[in-house]
Amino acid sequence: MRLTVVRIARTIQLSEEQKRELSRIAQSRALPAGYVFRAKLILMLSTGATFTMIRERLGTTKRTIIRWKERFLAGGIDGLDTSHPGQQPYRLTASLRAKILNATRKKPSDGSTHWSCRKLAKVLGISKDLVHRVWREAGIKPHRLERYMASNDPDFEKKATDIIGLYLNPPQHAAVFCVDEKSAIQALDRLDPVLPLSPGRAERHGFEYYRHGTLSLYAALDTKTGKGPGKDRPSAHQRGIRRLLR
């Protein structure tokens, strides 16, 4: 004959007020599922249900039953609530906003080209959502890059108007040639300074650069034959271009 030993849980004595409150929680569909589960567990313990019955009915474990029984005996219904106030949220003060904007204008120390919300938030010890909010309000986009061109030629506007006019309204029977310089040596020094990002404006780099020696390449396209003749010269001058176009 096989004997089965069934452990009977020590009955928990509940007051009428506790029974009503636990019953309300157990029947709720709006409260967290874990809170409802714990209320049902305590109610079953109060009726003298065995651990086996509770495990099968609620799909839980012996360790879980013991843990919440001890917490209820120590703290009552409040001991079943696992909610906690959490971390105090940061207030977006003027000094914190200025700190975020000032850090954004500096380059990351890890060699990255620009900041991301998560990277800057980790460095400052704040949430990424707070960084994103400040960037959005200030119109800052560190991942964006714009280019600009500055000229110290007093006649630049007049020259640019003449050149653009050839494309928009060319003279009759005129041939317009577009000449560009293809350097074989990479330029490393920019002529104009890099303008850092600021609220409402992306970081900007100039188009012009210092030329540390160049090798000029002259090339043309013969539209009749489709051939592209080309020659290289140590320096650029009008005579070399005219000689190529003959």
Side-chain angles (χ1 to χ4, degrees), residues 71-242:
R71 291 194 182 184
F72 179 80
L73 293 175
I77 296 179
D78 293 338
L80 304 179
D81 190 1
T82 59
S83 62
H84 52 84
Q87 183 180 2
Q88 187 70 18
Y90 283 96
R91 291 186 57 192
L92 186 55
T93 60
S95 59
L96 181 57
R97 186 190 304 272
K99 183 179 180 180
I100 295 173
L101 294 176
N102 184 55
T104 305
R105 294 171 63 89
K106 300 177 181 178
K107 293 294 184 182
S109 58
D110 60 356
S112 304
T113 58
H114 61 273
W115 289 106
S116 66
C117 286
R118 287 179 173 83
K119 185 180 297 183
L120 184 58
K122 184 178 181 180
V123 171
L124 298 180
I126 58 179
S127 68
K128 66 178 181 61
D129 295 330
L130 196 59
V131 175
H132 183 266
R133 175 184 171 185
V134 173
W135 284 0
R136 184 180 67 251
E137 293 176 352
I140 291 180
K141 300 177 181 179
H143 64 283
R144 294 288 301 274
L145 176 65
E146 297 179 355
R147 298 191 180 275
Y148 73 98
M149 181 174 181
S151 175
N152 56 4
D153 186 353
D155 298 326
F156 174 79
E157 184 176 353
K158 180 180 179 182
K159 294 177 181 177
T161 302
D162 293 339
I163 294 174
I164 295 173
L166 290 175
Y167 289 91
L168 298 179
N169 188 23
Q172 291 185 353
H173 310 295
V176 179
F177 297 93
C178 179
V179 181
D180 195 6
E181 182 180 66
K182 301 300 180 183
S183 172
I185 301 175
Q186 184 181 8
L188 300 179
D189 294 339
R190 295 189 179 276
L191 180 62
D192 300 309
V194 175
L195 302 181
L197 62 86
S198 59
R201 178 176 294 178
E203 181 177 307
R204 293 180 294 167
H205 293 186
F207 285 101
E208 292 296 326
Y209 48 81
Y210 287 111
R211 295 169 174 82
H212 297 288
T214 59
L215 178 66
S216 298
L217 171 65
Y218 300 144
L221 175 65
D222 188 339
T223 58
K224 183 180 293 185
T225 63
K227 295 182 178 181
K231 294 181 181 180
D232 60 87
R233 292 289 186 272
S235 60
H237 50 76
Q238 293 183 1
R239 291 194 305 272
I241 298 177
R242 291 175 180 174

Side-chain angles (χ1 to χ4, degrees), residues 30-46:
L31 294 174
Y35 198 27
V36 173
F37 160 81
R38 293 187 286 273
K40 292 179 179 179
L41 188 150
I42 298 301
L43 285 174
M44 292 187 68
L45 286 174
S46 68

